[in-house]
Amino acid sequence: MKSLHEIKESFSIAYGAVKANKVRGMLTTLGIIIGIVAVVTTMTAANGLGNRFKESISVIGSDVLYVSRTPWVFSGNFFQFRNRNQLTLRDGEKLERQLHEAKAVNTRTFSNQNLKYRSTVLENVTIIGTTENHVLVSAGAPQYGRFIIDNDVQYKKQVCVIGWEIKDRLFKDVDPINKKIKIGRYHFRVVGVMEKLGSAGFFGGPNFDRQVMVPISTLMKCFGGRNRNFDIVVKAPSTEALYDFEYSVIGEMRKIRKLAPTEENDFSINKMDTLMAAYNNVMGVVILIGLVITSISLFVGGIGVMNIMFVSVTERTREIGIRKAIGAKKRSILIQFLFESSSICLIGGLIGLIMAYGVTQIINAFLLPASISPGIVIIAIVISVMVGVVSGIIPAYRASKLNPIEALRYE
Amino acid sequence: MQLEIKEITKNYKMGTEIVAALRGISVNLLKNEYLAIMGPSGSGKSTLMNIIGCLDTHSAGSYLLEGADVSKMNDDQLAEIRNQKIGFVFQTFNLIPRADVFHNVELPMVYSGISSSMRKKLAEEAIEKVGLTDRMKHKPSELSGGQRQRVAIARALVNNPSIILADEPTGNLDSSTGAEIMSVLDQLHQAGNTIILVTHENDIAAHANRVIKLKDGLVETDELNHKHFAA
Ligand SMILES: Nc1ncnc2c1ncn2[C@@H]1O[C@H](COP(=O)(O)OP(=O)(O)O)[C@@H](O)[C@H]1O
Ligand SMILES: [Mg+2]
């Protein structure tokens, strides 16, 4: 009860002190403001980027493995993968036959071609040769029309399913279904349009909406079947089983590739986690830079507040003496000044939050969707108050130790 | 016995030199006494008051306040004594400039943890006793010297202390305002309070019923004020 009254008293003293020294307080809180803007913006942007990234790779699927010749992300020397044999269509067929746990298996191959519809040309578009199994392993489904079917693959039909962005660019408001487009030198009939899948282009990854899918057999017929690289997409029974499933896939692939026990894998297993991990590495560095800026600003701000608090203690030496003479204990004086320093920093923190909100709106408008989460607000407030307590502790301690008579005599 | 002081000394260190402000003072005080301490400047009056008020500690000797040995107390215990048992009135008023009259008066109760409704009641009573009810929301800077000293008196008596200590309370006031302040102190004495007053003016000291004269840190005379009883 007793300390409650003292805390209330401290609060009103702090309020009065801050009100009386508005300009001085504002200047000293600049470091705190910058620090809070830095931390909030960094975390909000990182959050937004993270969401955008997860969204854009969600089409990959968390329960799907991609068997490829090379890893998607690697550190070190690319040449270590150069001697690997290409994955073949046969490898894919064998895996589909032998890997009983798999929910579905789809073999794919790629080509880059120009697209043309009437006079509109799109250069260098990713053409994916795939099978009807595509929809079983991937999250995306056609928005209009249909996907490639067994029959298309079997008879090497020149049909295609186009991505959302391709539809926008080539057809605008025209219904693309059953229209003929040119892929390279060949005519294809559009049978379907994929729903919007998102893009990892922001991160230098593929844009899933700027792709065209054709039957794998047709792609090999039109754009060459020899010396072609394939990748095999396999879907695990569940996301939880992915870890064990990966071992089965590696085991089967080693059999298919006829590797001796001493030989290393001559293929790579890729998955969503690989990308997540790579992304997190990059983000880790970005966040680290943000935190360094934050720490430096907060440190500078904290020193400023400490300095102001020393001034405040000196200015109010006599008041401290009066308070002690009428019965304030050391603790009361300590709390009083800690409250004052925390309030200054808290105000800085709140101003920082408001400014960070503005910065977030700008990011939102021009870069990517980002919003300040309640958690970040709480973190910002806790950080500001902590800086206030830390930078106030020495001045407050000095104030609490003042000799009452000397303090009363101070002019 | 309100307080028992035996052979108290106080030395100040000034660099290498030691100043003996008090050189062995003994005083006993009964409840509801009205004591004036007189003496030339530098004779140790304020030093003695500060020790009695537990703002300062003595170098040697013993001091019992209501039977409790003050020399054995730590800073926080002394703060509690100042809060509960002592009411200070200073020559320079020593009010908190930013706080209004009401808040200045309620402050000792904040530090003793009294609830705010109780504080309001007691502070208003104390302010009424010194006749400043209509100045409750004024800042000290908006008051005259005499009014400021009344606020200080209200603050000194609000926690119902054992002793009210007034170190030259009229020193900064003109004589008619000084007389008003003295009449407030007289009323407090009549209401049963114990008062110690420092002054070097005879007509101020005449209000007390006992006068101690200090000289060079020693008690020169300690006598009852016959004039007072005659009046
Ligand atoms: N803080 C101090 N440091 C050194 N000397 C002091 C201090 N306070 C008082 N003195 C000395 O002690 C003596 C008594 O002072 P004081 O009690 O203030 O006298 P009075 O109030 O009777 O004028 C004086 O000589 C004064 O100079
Ligand atoms: Mg004096």
Side-chain angles (χ1 to χ4, degrees):
Chain A
M1 257 334 257
K2 201 160 163 174
S3 10
L4 192 73
H5 296 304
E6 285 175 18
I7 286 171
K8 262 165 92 183
E9 169 70 11
S10 303
F11 196 79
S12 66
I13 296 168
Y15 176 75
V18 170
K19 214 171 77 174
N21 300 310
K22 268 180 242 146
V23 175
R24 192 171 79 183
M26 283 290 224
L27 288 177
T28 32
T29 51
L30 208 59
I32 312 286
I33 295 174
I34 294 171
I36 292 299
V37 170
V39 69
V40 172
T41 312
T42 307
M43 288 171 75
T44 302
N47 228 338
L49 279 173
N51 289 340
R52 159 78 72 101
F53 184 76
K54 271 181 215 146
E55 197 183 283
S56 65
I57 65 168
S58 67
V59 60
I60 291 171
S62 59
D63 55 352
V64 176
L65 297 179
Y66 291 74
V67 187
S68 325
R69 192 169 79 116
T70 55
W72 288 343
V73 186
F74 53 85
S75 51
N77 198 344
F78 175 74
F79 293 100
Q80 60 187 315
F81 309 117
R82 229 172 63 147
N83 293 332
R84 288 182 172 181
N85 288 324
Q86 287 180 329
L87 291 182
T88 64
L89 194 55
R90 290 288 301 278
D91 291 340
E93 287 163 2
K94 282 182 188 161
L95 191 62
E96 183 167 5
R97 222 176 306 124
Q98 294 170 20
L99 191 69
H100 303 296
E101 300 101 299
K103 257 190 178 166
V105 177
N106 182 40
T107 308
R108 309 183 302 175
T109 187
F110 300 85
S111 177
N112 277 329
Q113 301 292 335
N114 294 345
L115 294 190
K116 193 172 175 201
Y117 174 69
R118 300 223 166 122
S119 59
T120 320
V121 176
L122 282 183
E123 286 186 352
N124 219 0
V125 175
T126 306
I127 314 295
I128 305 175
T130 184
T131 73
E132 71 279 8
N133 284 352
H134 190 99
V135 284
L136 300 178
V137 296
S138 162
Q143 176 97 2
Y144 307 116
R146 63 167 177 87
F147 199 73
I148 289 156
I149 54 172
D150 176 35
N151 196 270
D152 299 328
V153 181
Q154 204 174 341
Y155 297 103
K156 301 181 186 173
K157 290 197 174 160
Q158 280 175 266
V159 293
C160 66
V161 177
I162 59 175
W164 191 260
E165 191 179 319
I166 306 279
K167 184 213 78 163
D168 268 356
R169 295 279 182 91
L170 287 189
F171 294 98
K172 297 198 177 64
D173 300 329
V174 181
D175 177 11
I177 303 297
N178 285 329
K179 298 281 181 321
K180 285 270 170 69
I181 62 170
K182 256 177 106 176
I183 305 181
R185 293 181 289 115
Y186 301 89
H187 289 279
F188 280 74
R189 184 166 58 90
V190 177
V191 294
V193 178
M194 290 303 280
E195 62 186 343
K196 208 167 181 343
L197 297 174
S199 165
F202 198 79
F203 308 93
N207 178 350
F208 300 107
D209 291 323
R210 200 172 188 276
Q211 294 175 336
V212 174
M213 277 165 287
V214 301
I216 187 166
S217 51
T218 319
L219 188 145
M220 289 166 70
K221 178 187 81 185
C222 296
F223 307 115
R226 283 165 165 275
N227 229 347
R228 172 164 287 285
N229 192 30
F230 293 83
D231 71 5
I232 309 161
V233 188
V234 286
K235 190 178 173 80
S238 68
T239 306
E240 294 72 45
L242 194 66
Y243 190 76
D244 294 333
F245 184 66
E246 186 171 341
Y247 273 90
S248 313
V249 172
I250 292 172
E252 287 308 323
M253 278 307 291
R254 288 184 68 88
K255 276 191 239 161
I256 290 165
R257 304 280 273 185
K258 299 193 171 65
L259 296 178
T262 51
E263 284 179 288
E264 280 189 34
N265 292 345
D266 63 349
F267 55 90
S268 297
I269 307 283
N270 294 299
K271 55 193 169 194
M272 194 155 126
D273 277 3
T274 324
L275 288 184
M276 258 342 269
Y279 168 80
N280 286 339
N281 273 343
V282 174
M283 258 351 266
V285 175
V286 172
I287 290 175
L288 192 73
I289 293 171
L291 287 186
V292 167
I293 296 174
T294 303
S295 313
I296 293 173
S297 326
L298 289 180
F299 182 76
V300 172
I303 297 284
V305 171
M306 178 151 82
N307 194 37
I308 275 303
M309 288 312 296
F310 274 126
V311 173
S312 182
V313 168
T314 309
E315 278 178 354
R316 283 190 287 153
T317 302
R318 215 180 150 88
E319 178 190 318
I320 295 164
I322 297 170
R323 289 179 185 275
K324 286 197 150 193
I326 61 174
K329 294 184 179 150
K330 280 187 202 146
R331 190 191 54 201
S332 318
I333 304 291
L334 193 77
I335 290 175
Q336 170 186 338
F337 283 98
L338 285 184
F339 251 89
E340 190 172 323
S341 61
S342 316
S343 307
I344 293 175
C345 289
L346 183 62
I347 291 170
L350 293 178
I351 296 173
L353 268 175
I354 293 169
M355 289 173 70
Y357 177 78
V359 175
T360 307
Q361 293 304 97
I362 294 172
I363 293 178
N364 229 329
F366 296 106
L367 279 173
L368 65 137
S371 65
I372 298 179
S373 71
I376 293 175
V377 172
I378 292 171
I379 288 174
I381 289 175
V382 169
I383 288 177
S384 349
V385 171
M386 265 170 47
V387 171
V389 169
V390 169
S391 51
I393 195 93
I394 300 174
Y397 182 73
R398 188 177 283 183
S400 76
K401 292 274 280 183
L402 280 177
N403 175 306
I405 297 181
E406 280 165 26
L408 278 172
R409 207 179 280 144
Y410 184 87
E411 290 302 325
Chain B
M1 196 76 74
Q2 205 77 337
L3 59 85
E4 291 177 67
I5 290 175
K6 269 204 202 87
E7 288 300 315
I8 267 193
T9 68
K10 177 71 187 177
N11 299 324
Y12 288 112
K13 254 201 208 121
M14 295 278 281
T16 54
E17 217 177 313
I18 290 177
V19 180
L22 300 179
R23 299 191 291 153
I25 286 189
S26 301
V27 182
N28 288 341
L29 197 72
L30 296 169
K31 199 165 161 46
N32 199 23
E33 267 197 270
Y34 194 171
L35 170 68
I37 299 176
M38 299 190 71
S41 180
S43 57
K45 305 181 296 292
S46 293
T47 305
L48 180 59
M49 285 292 259
N50 290 339
I51 290 171
I52 293 173
C54 296
L55 272 176
D56 208 351
T57 48
H58 51 277
S59 306
S62 80
Y63 170 24
L64 302 184
L65 178 65
E66 292 189 323
D69 188 350
V70 169
S71 50
K72 296 212 169 67
M73 293 183 180
N74 65 26
D75 285 355
D76 279 353
Q77 286 168 321
L78 290 175
E80 192 148 340
I81 295 281
R82 290 196 293 272
N83 184 249
Q84 300 290 318
K85 304 202 184 282
I86 308 289
F88 266 109
V89 179
F90 301 93
Q91 180 177 353
T92 51
F93 320 131
N94 281 336
L95 301 175
I96 292 176
R98 256 200 296 274
D100 62 17
V101 167
F102 177 81
H103 191 63
N104 265 293
V105 174
E106 85 168 333
L107 203 51
M109 296 186 286
V110 170
Y111 291 121
S112 49
I114 293 170
S115 75
S116 66
S117 57
M118 196 67 181
R119 288 206 302 267
K120 187 164 155 41
K121 182 174 166 283
L122 294 175
E124 282 173 0
E125 274 174 26
I127 292 168
E128 200 188 327
K129 271 185 206 164
V130 298
L132 282 178
T133 305
D134 55 337
R135 295 284 189 276
M136 203 94 89
K137 294 286 160 220
H138 289 232
K139 295 276 166 67
S141 58
E142 298 158 359
L143 301 176
S144 71
Q147 287 171 325
R148 288 182 208 186
Q149 198 59 299
R150 285 162 188 260
V151 177
I153 291 172
R155 182 181 65 187
L157 62 88
V158 77
N159 250 355
N160 196 21
S162 314
I163 308 174
I164 293 173
L165 301 176
D167 191 348
E168 304 200 31
T170 60
N172 278 13
L173 304 173
D174 61 61
S175 55
S176 69
T177 320
E180 275 174 38
I181 292 299
M182 287 316 296
S183 79
V184 174
L185 287 178
D186 290 350
Q187 280 166 30
L188 292 177
H189 175 239
Q190 265 146 39
N193 287 288
T194 312
I195 297 175
I196 304 179
L197 169 75
V198 166
T199 183
H200 48 247
E201 291 174 57
N202 283 320
D203 33 335
I204 298 291
H207 287 259
N209 51 25
R210 176 180 168 193
V211 178
I212 289 179
K213 286 196 174 141
L214 294 189
K215 197 176 178 198
D216 293 336
L218 287 170
V219 176
E220 196 183 35
T221 61
D222 179 353
E223 47 201 23
L224 294 181
N225 197 343
H226 300 296
K227 248 192 291 178
H228 186 80
F229 290 108

